[in-house]
């Protein structure tokens, strides 16, 4: 097989819902990926914030091998051990008390929306944010504050309103007697790597307490050490009522979860919510192995340190190439550079790829960097050199 043969197979049999970069990935090691033509890429995307431990991590491979000898799936009609151990580890390392397991980020957000409505006992309105992203299922899509994703799929679910992100007074004015929750990302990733300020996040939490609203944080992309703490909310000195996780939770395999405070979780009764595959013995075992590595090997601290270095280098790039780059920003290892209008984001991304660096876009004009969290300074230096050279050679 070569790249072209994989492209042809894909184009013939897969629905055209993704605009793919012209490479077909075959395998990977650490922070590097290889395609079917034998080319090497430095991966600064990590499956879009999924592969926190990079590729072919020996401890994850060992866990997968061992767990593959056991149960893959039974049913949530029975007790199994790994899902409770995974829940315990998540709870022990957060301010939440109970978990519900599912299979993806969108599904975790569906669960959060349902739990909020059940808890609200008649109150149902959720104030989400403009420019947010919560996933592609109808509930999560309805909570997403970007009409481009909803176009063609209307009508959205009722009960969602959108406040400008990071604007407390606008949010405050939108609360009604029907409002049950405020739902937001602790850093808007898909929206363009937008970091809210601490005062805003603390005021939102205080408002939720005063008005008896739930604070729901979508940590699907920011969770699992990505921003330099296990959960991004831990940067802000707040304690949300619900957080949703997926992406990096499963060490590269699909799993999602919603964590909630006990008092909120208590609104769900048997039969209210379920998922056939949610919390299966195999996948929760893999996720537990991955989480233990993240915690024991202090990957959050490493991501914070490496991310701070990377951001300072990107800021220098922004100054050096100030005719093409507006700003460098982000938290931990979820960073971006905002390009000026004279630079085409898609063309620039394609050139980075040609030069051996995998990235993705965020928002309309931001190059997103979300490398595996295990990268070292040398990987950052290599990526910076590629970005620098590509900017120098990019004819705007
Ligand atoms: N929420 C956020 C913040 C995300 O970034 C994403 C995916 O990019 C999702 C939800 C949806 O997750 P999934 O694609 O696993 O459904």
């Amino acid at each position: 097989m070569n790249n072209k043969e994989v492209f042809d197979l894909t184009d013939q049999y897969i629905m055209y819902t993704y605009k793919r970069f012209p490479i077909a990935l075959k395998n990977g090691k650490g922070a590097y990926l290889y395609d079917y033509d034998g080319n090497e890429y430095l991966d600064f995307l990590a499956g879009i914030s999924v592969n926190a431990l990079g590729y072919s991590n020996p401890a994850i491979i060992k866990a997968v091998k061992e767990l593959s000898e056991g149960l893959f799936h039974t049913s949530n009609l029975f007790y199994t051990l790994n899902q409770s151990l995974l829940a315990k580890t998540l709870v022990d390392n957060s301010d939440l008390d109970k978990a519900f397991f599912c299979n993806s980020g969108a599904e975790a957000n569906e669960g959060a929306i349902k739990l909020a409505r059940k808890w609200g006992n008649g109150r149902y309105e959720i104030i989400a944010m403009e420019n947010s992203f919560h996933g592609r299922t109808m509930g999560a899509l309805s909570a997403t504050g970007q009409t481009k994703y909803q176009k063609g799929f209307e009508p959205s679910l009722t009960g969602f309103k959108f406040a400008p992100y990071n604007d407390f007074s606008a949010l405050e004015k939108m609360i009604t007697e029907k409002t049950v929750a405020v739902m937001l990302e602790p850093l808007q990733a898909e929206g363009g790597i937008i970091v809210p300020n601490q005062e805003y996040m603390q005021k939102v939490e205080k408002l939720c307490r005063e008005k008896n609203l739930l604070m729901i944080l979508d940590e699907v992309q920011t969770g699992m050490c990505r921003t330099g703490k296990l959960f991004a909310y831990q940067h802000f000195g707040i304690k949300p009522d619900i957080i949703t996780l997926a992406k990096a939770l499963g060490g590269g395999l699909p799993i999602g979860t919603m964590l909630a405070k006990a008092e909120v979780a208590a609104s769900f009764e048997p039969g209210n919510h379920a998922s056939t595959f949610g919390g299966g013995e195999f996948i929760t075992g893999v996720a537990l192995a991955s989480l233990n590595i993240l915690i024991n090997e202090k990957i959050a601290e490493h991501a914070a340190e490496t991310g701070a270095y990377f951001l300072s280098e990107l800021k220098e790039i922004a100054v050096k190439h100030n005719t093409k780059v507006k700003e460098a920003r982000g938290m931990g290892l979820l960073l971006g550079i905002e390009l000026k209008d004279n630079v085409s984001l898609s063309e620039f991304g394609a050139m980075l790829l040609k030069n051996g660096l995998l990235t993705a876009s965020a928002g309309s004009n931001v190059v997103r960097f979300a490398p595996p969290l295990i990268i070292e300074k040398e990987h950052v230096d290599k990526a910076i050199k590629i970005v620098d050279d590509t900017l120098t050679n990019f004819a705007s």
Side-chain angles (χ1 to χ4, degrees), residues 125-323:
E125 196 177 76
I126 294 177
I127 305 189
M129 297 294 140
E130 290 174 4
N131 201 42
S132 60
F133 185 82
H134 298 296
R136 306 294 189 138
T137 53
M138 278 316 296
L141 190 62
S142 303
T144 292
Q146 300 189 61
T147 46
K148 69 175 181 192
Y149 292 115
Q150 289 150 354
K151 202 162 176 282
F153 305 105
E154 300 92 343
S156 290
L157 250 61
T158 51
F160 292 94
K161 294 203 293 200
F162 298 95
Y165 194 54
N166 218 8
D167 180 343
F168 180 73
S169 59
L171 169 69
E172 200 178 18
K173 288 190 195 104
M174 291 174 78
I175 312 287
T176 70
E177 73 282 356
K178 297 215 164 50
T179 310
V180 70
V182 177
M183 179 170 181
L184 71 169
E185 297 150 89
L187 176 160
Q188 287 190 334
E190 298 301 310
I193 312 293
I194 309 200
V195 184
N197 62 49
Q198 175 144 4
E199 190 193 354
Y200 169 75
M201 293 300 273
Q202 292 188 349
K203 279 182 165 176
V204 174
E205 188 199 26
K206 192 158 167 271
L207 179 73
C208 287
R209 302 294 156 253
E210 283 166 8
K211 304 274 183 191
N212 193 26
L213 310 175
L214 298 180
M215 186 178 196
I216 304 174
L217 288 189
D218 178 341
E219 292 244 24
V220 167
Q221 186 144 180
T222 54
M224 317 320 294
C225 307
R226 172 60 52 194
T227 67
K229 294 212 184 267
L230 183 56
F231 306 111
Y233 82 81
Q234 293 165 330
H235 288 284
F236 296 102
I238 57 172
K239 291 183 178 173
D241 300 291
I242 299 178
I243 69 170
T244 54
L245 301 167
K247 286 197 183 277
L249 178 60
L253 296 179
I255 178 171
T257 190
M258 155 177 66
L259 303 179
K261 286 186 178 161
E263 178 265 326
V264 179
S267 302
F268 268 171
E269 294 163 14
N272 282 166
H273 199 48
S275 163
T276 295
F277 285 116
E281 180 71 353
F282 175 80
I283 181 60
T284 48
V286 178
L288 183 61
S290 171
L291 180 57
N292 282 332
I293 298 171
L294 293 179
I295 293 169
N296 297 338
E297 297 190 8
K298 300 200 181 328
I299 299 292
E301 287 89 330
H302 181 73
E305 214 172 282
T306 320
Y309 172 67
F310 188 19
L311 182 58
S312 73
E313 293 291 302
L314 285 174
K315 284 191 167 164
E316 279 185 28
I317 290 272
V319 172
K320 179 173 171 190
H321 296 279
N322 63 6
T323 57

